[in-house]
Amino acid sequence: MDDRGEDRLAAVLRPVRSGNTFEEAVQRILQLVRLGLVPDGGRLPAERELAERLQVSRVTLREALRVLQDQGLLETRRGRYGGTFVRYRPGALVGTGTQAGGEELRRRAELMGDRLEDTLLFREVLEVGAAELCAAHRPAGAAARRLRECLAATGSAQLGEYRRMDTRLHLAVAELCGSPSVAAQYAAVRASVNELLDCIPLLPPNLLHSEEQHTALVAALLDGDRERARTVMREHVAGTAALLRGFLS
Amino acid sequence: MDDRGEDRLAAVLRPVRSGNTFEEAVQRILQLVRLGLVPDGGRLPAERELAERLQVSRVTLREALRVLQDQGLLETRRGRYGGTFVRYRPGALVGTGTQAGGEELRRRAELMGDRLEDTLLFREVLEVGAAELCAAHRPAGAAARRLRECLAATGSAQLGEYRRMDTRLHLAVAELCGSPSVAAQYAAVRASVNELLDCIPLLPPNLLHSEEQHTALVAALLDGDRERARTVMREHVAGTAALLRGFLS
DNA sequence: ATCCAATGGTACAAGGCCATACCTTTGGAC
DNA sequence: GTCCAAAGGTATGGCCTTGTACCATTGGAT
């Protein structure tokens, strides 16, 4: 051994399970909601399909759904054309000054503790890396269409739908970079970030700036300009990180 | 829903478990070995400590150790100052042309299938991102010492120890970037890469080139030069990826 | 020579998770 | 109005995992 004190094995010797199977299932369903992949009022895949895809027994999956029902986040209807429906309106941005949102934000940030900094750094690595890789692939055809469609959707989104559309665009970049692992990790990390972002109001000046960056990003991606894609994404990410840190101090 | 055919939920709706608990424990122990964090002849932490850190029952952990013992990768001795010891000599580089190694490499690459490309891309994102973040932190004090020490160790390593020291340097960068998640993901992905690299011979010209890049990398990191750190790391990673792809075609 | 602490080895009962099968509800198709 | 397919709701038996306690072995300390 050549360790002296500091633990060089920490990166490997960490828990193999982050909780019960059903707790992890809860987290995954929460990701679907926080990422807006299933919008308010939308229907989740059927229990049998969800269980199959998460590789969890239906019994366990139902335990997870039960928790989220009890929190009022999901509603179920029986019978054909029934299913599990999302009831989720972030809407912390209406009728609140920066006070109320700030309270909740601090509460949630407190809960994340040390993982907050980790999350923001990890996000930067994934997102900037994905942008560069995506540009390197020079998206064309269906990929290019998807990027353009996502960009247009952010531009014409209602205020209440902006975060959802923003998430959709970023997730598209992560998926188009060619590495499923990057996409999966980004989905998880972005769900955490959204949990915080949902607490702070969306101000028009920020939104405009964000849209300029989105436009520049997609242009760089379609041009296959790696350096520019990376630079634009880095600034964009730094912007939201600064926004969060600002509200937290 | 606005999905049309393609599955936008795939990044979230993936298995919550990649296998049995004991299989995942096996993978973690294998990581320790493949990363060279516990060298040949070295002793693993005691069963009780391993179980604690992996958050796995000792029974399950012992199942995992048993598998690796049966493969001859681990040996156990009872009694005080006993323990579980690593018996692992990559050494595919002695007495083989590129033939034998190429066989085994292709076999292992086949086994990884689609995950190979994913692994190489994910590695690039993590490694390049970690380098940039690490430089942004301008490592000083203990961090700077650790980088210099790791660099010196690669420079003076025996041929049989070079890959281990190389891994140690890269892992140090990932850890010093400030995000435990990045370090953890990198450890996993690098263990996979090492499984392949162990099949191909280490040629002096490649080694020299690699060492030049290591030196430049550490210099950039200590200078706090983000762009340079990123560029050097990108070329370095592209080098080993090209090496692998070359042996595979 | 004895003791002891650290390590691997073993046994058992409780709880978690799963596969499977079946029941109940619902609304459209006919 | 009847039927049926698709969805949620329920029950059972078995394997996996855990927590806990205890046994066996070893080599240094005394």
Side-chain angles (χ1 to χ4, degrees):
Chain A
M1 286 304 163
D2 39 23
D3 298 345
R4 338 182 183 71
E6 304 161 35
D7 185 2
R8 303 278 166 96
L9 280 51
V12 177
L13 296 187
R14 63 203 149 82
V16 293
R17 297 276 188 260
S18 50
N20 295 328
T21 302
F22 107 91
E23 287 177 42
E24 293 196 27
V26 168
Q27 292 307 313
R28 289 296 174 85
I29 310 292
L30 265 177
Q31 279 184 33
L32 284 185
V33 176
R34 294 231 174 86
L35 293 173
L37 287 174
V38 180
D40 182 53
R43 195 185 76 174
L44 259 52
E47 290 180 355
R48 287 169 177 83
E49 187 189 339
L50 268 181
E52 170 72 21
R53 297 184 67 169
L54 295 177
Q55 287 284 289
V56 159
S57 82
R58 212 180 131 215
V59 181
T60 304
L61 173 70
R62 281 172 54 77
E63 277 186 78
L65 293 176
R66 178 69 189 281
V67 171
L68 299 172
Q69 285 168 32
D70 292 348
Q71 292 185 0
L73 207 75
L74 297 178
E75 281 179 15
T76 64
R77 289 203 292 275
R78 298 182 64 167
R80 194 172 189 180
Y81 304 97
T84 308
F85 297 84
V86 173
R87 204 55 66 188
Y88 180 65
R89 300 189 167 284
L93 48 102
V94 186
T96 71
T98 57
Q99 275 326 68
E103 280 307 320
E104 179 65 9
L105 176 62
R106 256 182 289 275
R107 212 174 55 79
R108 295 192 188 178
E110 199 79 18
L111 217 81
M112 294 184 61
D114 292 340
R115 289 184 329 170
L116 175 59
E117 191 62 18
D118 179 29
T119 299
L120 292 178
L121 291 176
F122 193 29
R123 180 202 182 190
E124 181 173 334
V125 168
L126 289 172
E127 197 130 42
V128 176
E132 178 170 357
L133 270 188
C134 183
H137 294 342
R138 239 182 209 289
R145 251 178 285 123
R146 181 172 173 196
L147 285 176
R148 272 192 280 259
E149 192 270 313
C150 284
L151 177 62
T154 61
S156 61
Q158 304 287 334
L159 234 82
E161 282 286 272
Y162 185 76
R163 286 259 160 71
R164 186 167 105 78
M165 292 305 154
D166 176 86
T167 302
R168 215 162 72 98
L169 171 59
H170 285 252
L171 202 51
V173 174
E175 287 176 3
L176 292 176
C177 88
S179 163
S181 294
V182 168
Q185 296 294 324
Y186 178 66
V189 105
R190 175 66 192 247
S192 291
V193 172
N194 277 4
E195 192 180 347
L196 300 178
L197 286 178
D198 283 345
C199 295
I200 67 182
L202 203 55
L203 301 176
N206 292 341
L207 194 148
L208 279 176
H209 189 214
S210 180
E211 270 311 278
E212 282 173 24
Q213 291 175 322
H214 282 164
T215 305
L217 173 66
V218 171
L221 292 175
L222 295 176
D223 276 4
D225 188 338
R226 297 173 65 137
E227 288 307 323
R228 188 140 156 275
R230 151 173 309 287
T231 303
V232 172
M233 183 63 99
R234 184 162 57 199
E235 285 175 18
H236 185 54
V237 169
T240 65
L243 186 67
L244 274 176
R245 293 201 177 93
F247 269 85
L248 278 171
S249 62
Chain B
M1 286 305 162
D2 38 25
D3 297 345
R4 335 183 186 73
E6 303 161 36
D7 186 2
R8 302 278 166 91
L9 279 51
V12 177
L13 297 187
R14 63 204 149 83
V16 293
R17 297 274 188 264
S18 51
N20 295 328
T21 302
F22 107 91
E23 287 177 42
E24 292 195 26
V26 168
Q27 292 308 312
R28 289 295 174 84
I29 310 291
L30 263 178
Q31 278 183 35
L32 285 184
V33 176
R34 292 231 174 86
L35 293 174
L37 288 173
V38 181
D40 183 52
R43 195 185 75 172
L44 259 51
E47 290 181 355
R48 288 171 177 80
E49 187 190 339
L50 268 181
E52 170 74 20
R53 298 184 66 171
L54 295 177
Q55 286 286 285
V56 158
S57 81
R58 211 181 134 214
V59 181
T60 303
L61 174 71
R62 283 173 53 76
E63 277 185 75
L65 293 176
R66 177 70 189 280
V67 170
L68 298 172
Q69 285 169 31
D70 291 349
Q71 293 184 1
L73 207 74
L74 298 178
E75 282 179 15
T76 65
R77 290 203 291 274
R78 297 181 66 166
R80 194 174 189 176
Y81 304 97
T84 308
F85 298 83
V86 173
R87 200 58 63 190
Y88 180 66
R89 301 189 167 282
L93 49 101
V94 187
T96 71
T98 57
Q99 273 330 68
E103 280 308 318
E104 179 65 8
L105 176 62
R106 255 183 291 275
R107 213 174 56 77
R108 295 192 188 179
E110 199 78 20
L111 218 80
M112 295 183 62
D114 292 340
R115 290 183 331 171
L116 175 58
E117 192 63 17
D118 179 29
T119 299
L120 292 177
L121 290 176
F122 193 28
R123 180 204 181 187
E124 181 174 335
V125 168
L126 289 172
E127 196 128 42
V128 175
E132 178 170 355
L133 271 188
C134 184
H137 293 342
R138 242 182 208 289
R145 251 178 286 122
R146 181 170 172 198
L147 285 176
R148 272 191 279 260
E149 193 268 314
C150 284
L151 177 62
T154 61
S156 61
Q158 303 288 332
L159 235 80
E161 282 286 273
Y162 185 76
R163 286 260 161 71
R164 186 167 107 77
M165 292 305 155
D166 175 87
T167 302
R168 214 162 73 99
L169 171 60
H170 285 253
L171 202 50
V173 174
E175 285 175 3
L176 293 175
C177 88
S179 163
S181 294
V182 168
Q185 296 294 324
Y186 179 66
V189 105
R190 176 65 192 247
S192 291
V193 172
N194 276 4
E195 191 181 346
L196 299 178
L197 286 179
D198 283 344
C199 294
I200 67 183
L202 203 55
L203 301 176
N206 293 340
L207 195 147
L208 278 177
H209 188 216
S210 180
E211 269 310 277
E212 283 173 24
Q213 292 176 320
H214 283 165
T215 305
L217 172 66
V218 171
L221 293 175
L222 296 175
D223 275 3
D225 187 339
R226 298 173 64 137
E227 288 306 325
R228 190 142 155 275
R230 153 174 306 288
T231 303
V232 172
M233 184 62 100
R234 184 162 57 199
E235 285 175 17
H236 185 54
V237 168
T240 63
L243 187 65
L244 273 176
R245 292 202 178 92
F247 269 86
L248 278 171
S249 60

